[in-house]
Amino acid sequence: MADPLPRVVSDRRTGEEEFQFGGSASGFDLLGFWAWSTSDLLSNATRGVLAEYIVGQALGAISGDDVRVEWDAYDLRTPSGVRVEVKSSAFVQCWAQKALSRPVFSIRSARGWDAETGTTAADPTRSADVYVFALLVHEDQATIDPMDLGQWEFYVVGKEQLAARYGVQRTLSLGPLRSFADPVSFNGLRAAVAGAAVRPEE
């Protein structure tokens, strides 16, 4: 039986790296790929990753050489060890809409995956200590800009509070969320997460 393969750890790239063919430069680079694949910041998939990045910057949870782990059990870990899950939603989508969307966030339990070991937890759970619900709250299609931090609001909820209110519920709509959590701005995220944190397991 072959030995198990360890995790492949990606180096952080700059975008200047060129694609190669037969040892020669191809004439196009990684930055071009990024621009082509992720310029639509309103796309649900890209907006979700962008929300993680914005929250990570607010929390000081992203260092200069970090690379996002796609399928980890939680999205971010603060310098003090708080595990954070980021969920995003928006009123305005990238497709044609008959009306603004009604924001809904996933809060389902999942069998967490460990990137280091390549193993999945036996039982579904909510793996983070704190959940940040990031809402792109701007409603004007003509002026919406996900890179404008003032167009976002954030709702910060501790794992225990979420479990006490919603148990094994899988989704959370904006109305119920706003009934028990107040929005904070980008600048208020760090304090809100610290206040909601459940002490991580040692």
Side-chain angles (χ1 to χ4, degrees):
M1 183 176 179
D3 292 334
L5 300 175
R7 175 191 174 194
V8 177
V9 179
S10 298
D11 294 328
R12 189 179 177 106
R13 299 177 184 267
T14 66
E16 297 178 356
E17 296 86 355
E18 289 198 47
F19 288 83
Q20 305 288 319
F21 182 75
S24 299
S26 64
F28 53 97
D29 60 20
L30 186 59
L31 182 61
F33 166 69
W34 288 343
W36 172 80
S37 64
T38 57
S39 284
D40 182 3
L41 300 181
L42 284 178
S43 162
N44 282 349
T46 304
R47 188 194 65 231
V49 178
L50 178 64
E52 290 178 28
Y53 181 74
I54 290 170
V55 173
Q57 291 293 332
L59 302 180
I62 299 175
S63 69
D65 58 355
D66 281 347
V67 175
R68 180 177 181 267
V69 178
E70 178 73 22
W71 295 109
D72 222 348
Y74 51 87
D75 296 323
L76 302 164
R77 193 178 189 100
T78 70
S80 64
V82 178
R83 297 166 297 190
V84 179
E85 182 76 9
V86 181
K87 301 296 185 182
S88 80
S89 193
F91 293 104
V92 175
Q93 309 296 333
C94 61
W95 56 80
Q97 297 174 265
K98 294 181 179 179
L100 295 175
S101 294
R102 295 181 177 180
V104 175
F105 302 91
S106 171
I107 56 170
R108 70 181 182 88
S109 297
R111 296 173 61 205
W113 182 74
D114 187 321
E116 292 297 332
T117 64
T119 58
T120 303
D123 300 311
T125 187
R126 294 187 178 110
S127 301
D129 303 306
V130 174
Y131 286 73
V132 176
F133 300 100
L135 176 64
L136 186 57
V137 72
H138 197 73
E139 296 185 7
D140 181 8
Q141 189 185 57
T143 57
I144 195 164
D145 179 6
M147 293 183 67
D148 181 349
L149 301 178
Q151 294 189 9
W152 292 84
E153 62 184 23
F154 306 91
Y155 298 83
V156 180
V157 182
K159 174 182 180 178
E160 291 183 347
Q161 184 184 17
L162 201 62
R165 283 181 172 268
Y166 296 106
V168 296
Q169 187 170 313
R170 299 172 63 89
T171 60
L172 177 60
S173 59
L174 185 58
L177 176 61
R178 281 177 165 170
S179 73
F180 74 93
D182 295 324
V184 297
S185 68
F186 174 80
N187 289 337
L189 264 173
R190 186 173 297 203
V193 167
V198 177
R199 183 174 179 81
E201 297 174 2
E202 298 296 332

